[in-house]
Amino acid sequence: MTDTRTERTAVLAVVGAGPAGLAAALAAASRGVRVLLLDSAPAAGGQFYRQSATGPGGPGGPGPRVPAHQRRTWDRLRTALDAHLAAGRVVHLSERHVWCLERESGGFVVHALLGPEQEESSAVRADAMLLATGGYEKVLPFPGWTLPGVVTAGGAQALTKGGLVLPGRTAVVAGSGPLLLPVAAGLAAAGARVAALVESAGPAGFARRAGTWATTPVKLAEGAAYAGRLLRGRTTVMTRHMVVAAHGGERLEAVTVAASDAGGGPVPGSERRLVCDVLAVGHGLLPHTDLAAGLGCRLDGTGVEVDDEQRTDVPGVWAAGETTGVGGAALSLAEGHIAGRSAAARLTGRIPDPRGWAAAARSRARLRRFFAALEAAYGDPPARWPERVADDTVVCRCEEVTAGAVREAVGTLGAGDLRTVKLLTRAGMGWCQGRMCEPGVAGVAGCALTPARRMPARPVPLGVLAAPPDPTTPR
Amino acid sequence: MDPLTPARTGPDAPFTVLFDGREIRALPGQSIAAALWSSGVTAWRTTRGGGRPRGVFCGIGVCFDCLVTVDGRPNQRACLVPAVRGADVRTQRGTGHDDRHED
């Protein structure tokens, strides 16, 4: 479709309507750029500001209790977004699952599958891209982790916050990382009994970094509030422990937890069985980098590499939030704000002045330091965790590939990297394209976890691939 | 500061969807996964290989474990598809195409 307006406004496509994408869209739209905000959910907010099914009805409403994160910030973002939507400066293209970004002369084409069915594609054209695609949970396999009732920590949160479901009466929250605390507190707030919070890290790493925690009092208070809620609910907190098995026939009935020794191995005789009907488990988050990698953006570790303006090394492509490295909602807001301002300046032919976003840059620096320290304090999962994964444990959930098959590929067939393991066993070839099994397969195989290239970024019907739709510019 | 200010949800009326022929209560905006789970249904798929029960795992559209057949269309992610009044939700076996193709 041709743009018939005489004065053409530059178009920035923002992928992801979570904290980073929203902050970026608002910053860019306020500075003379037209923003196409694409997101897979029906409503804006992302995973962090995930909106409940029926919408907030106020504290006295009749519905179930839903824990709402940072309500005031969300209300402010929502109000600003509504104003831009009404003025036509932002077009919110919801329920768009972006499967491919294509570079063309002077811009980009964004290909997205429509709605939950994802059988039909649509394409929009933009002058520049801003990727705020967030992250997903890293889960390590253990016997029984495929039982219904075992969910990721983020999944438990999504069910409680967005789905208005209490995922179980008695919960165990396990794994590692800062997400476990709010998830456990959220389950308790929604009415579950949280029997135990099982953290694989030990407490020593936290004590060593007391100085860093003191520089971020807001985060400290947030952590303390969650912990207080759990203590009031009589949750047992176990550090340097792991869930080593989940038990049940057709669904989860109990878990076994065990202590890890200093080298990460199991402490004999430390096993304890805990009765529960939901296990929320996760070992931190991994950035979604498929779209960026597809465009050829350089990665830094597992995240997209960006400069001080949040630009990737591909001209016209910015990235912000968890996709550039996991650091939480406040950091995502700061990064998104900077990315949006930088993109707007460059798209309107100006050289951006970083003094304009000095406050956001300061908070970005402080929060990056804080999360680097947090990551160091939590550390990696105990080195010897794969020893506790029995041969008959499924490690690739989609293709039902067992740990034994992966070990055979490495030991007998000589596979030395994840790609060869995949070719020999099909681990990572299923629907999720290895997003769920990659860390587990890497651990069991003894290979390094390397960012995978996944193109297209989602399963796409052959008909769509055969005849991709013509790009348009939405009004 | 309590970061988890509880909010109560609005008074929108519940409705029903069908799950394997029986009526299940759902709230407007709830996903099929959330509606099934609130009715105590935690598995709605059996795997292609081992025939093992599966339900929701990641809850955010990444893992594809919660695949379900909705209104005759297999392989829908229950955590993403909103429950709508009268939807016909069925347990998915294997690829979900077994009724149409002989393997």
Side-chain angles (χ1 to χ4, degrees), chain A residues 306-395:
Chain A
V306 287
D307 66 7
D308 282 350
E309 285 181 35
Q310 299 291 136
R311 289 180 299 177
T312 72
D313 67 329
V314 173
V317 182
W318 281 256
E322 312 286 51
T323 187
T324 68
V326 172
L331 177 57
S332 296
L333 287 172
E335 291 186 354
H337 181 76
I338 294 168
R341 290 183 69 143
S342 163
R346 295 195 175 272
L347 280 169
T348 51
R350 290 175 286 126
I351 302 294
D353 181 0
R355 282 174 301 185
W357 62 67
R362 274 195 303 277
S363 105
R364 177 178 65 180
R366 194 180 62 243
L367 288 162
R368 279 186 183 162
R369 275 198 304 277
F370 175 80
F371 275 90
L374 207 58
E375 211 174 273
Y378 278 108
D380 292 324
R384 289 165 58 201
W385 70 263
E387 290 171 22
R388 307 185 204 190
V389 181
D391 272 349
D392 63 353
T393 303
V394 163
V395 287

Side-chain angles (χ1 to χ4, degrees), chain A residues 229-317:
Chain A
R229 191 184 276 278
L230 291 177
L231 291 174
R232 285 196 299 279
R234 295 188 303 280
T235 296
T236 307
V237 178
M238 300 180 202
T239 54
R240 216 188 263 177
H241 273 69
M242 283 186 87
V243 168
V244 294
H247 313 283
E250 295 295 296
R251 64 153 304 161
L252 180 73
E253 287 157 18
V255 296
T256 297
V257 298
S260 307
D261 61 25
V267 175
S270 67
E271 290 86 2
R272 275 171 67 184
R273 199 179 163 103
L274 305 173
V275 171
C276 58
D277 55 2
V278 63
L279 168 65
V281 66
H283 285 268
L285 303 181
L286 288 168
H288 267 301
T289 55
D290 310 330
L291 294 175
L295 280 174
C297 300
R298 193 186 304 138
L299 301 185
D300 172 15
T302 55
V304 179
E305 187 181 290
V306 287
D307 66 7
D308 282 350
E309 285 181 35
Q310 299 291 136
R311 289 180 299 177
T312 72
D313 67 329
V314 173
V317 182

Side-chain angles (χ1 to χ4, degrees), chain A residues 137-140 142 145 150-154 172-175 180 243 279-283, chain B residues 57:
Chain A
E137 211 138 355
K138 175 179 169 182
V139 194
L140 303 176
F142 50 87
W145 76 310
V150 180
V151 292
T152 66
V172 169
V173 179
L180 299 187
V243 168
L279 168 65
V281 66
H283 285 268
Chain B
F57 182 59

Side-chain angles (χ1 to χ4, degrees), chain A residues 392-408:
Chain A
D392 63 353
T393 303
V394 163
V395 287
C396 168
R397 302 171 69 96
C398 300
E399 294 293 314
E400 298 174 80
V401 180
T402 62
V406 171
R407 285 173 181 138
E408 193 196 356

Side-chain angles (χ1 to χ4, degrees), chain A residues 32-215:
Chain A
V33 170
R34 219 168 104 77
V35 174
L36 306 178
L37 180 60
L38 296 106
D39 191 72
S40 58
Q47 297 305 332
F48 187 77
Y49 300 120
R50 176 181 273 273
Q51 294 308 289
S52 74
T54 51
R65 285 158 58 91
V66 181
H69 282 90
Q70 313 290 5
R71 272 286 288 282
R72 267 174 298 179
T73 312
W74 165 247
D75 288 343
R76 213 163 45 231
L77 292 168
R78 180 74 246 183
T79 307
L81 177 66
D82 286 342
H84 285 304
L85 290 172
R89 289 184 292 264
V90 177
V91 177
H92 182 198
L93 301 170
S94 63
E95 297 194 272
R96 296 301 209 274
H97 300 258
V98 179
W99 59 273
C100 174
L101 302 178
E102 188 188 347
R103 265 199 265 191
E104 58 165 29
S105 59
F108 300 86
V109 178
V110 185
H111 294 274
L113 293 164
L114 300 176
E117 294 87 5
Q118 303 187 38
E119 285 166 6
E120 228 182 290
S121 183
S122 82
V124 292
R125 192 167 267 141
D127 300 300
M129 293 299 314
L130 199 155
L131 306 175
T133 46
Y136 60 99
E137 211 138 355
K138 175 179 169 182
V139 194
L140 303 176
F142 50 87
W145 76 310
T146 55
L147 275 176
V150 180
V151 292
T152 66
Q157 197 167 47
L159 282 172
T160 331
K161 274 160 74 170
L164 308 175
V165 186
L166 187 56
R169 279 183 224 287
T170 309
V172 169
V173 179
S176 189
L179 180 62
L180 299 187
L181 209 49
V183 166
L187 285 168
R193 189 175 81 81
V194 181
L197 177 66
V198 184
E199 166 60 60
S200 70
F206 292 89
R208 274 201 299 276
R209 291 173 180 82
T212 310
W213 313 143
T215 62

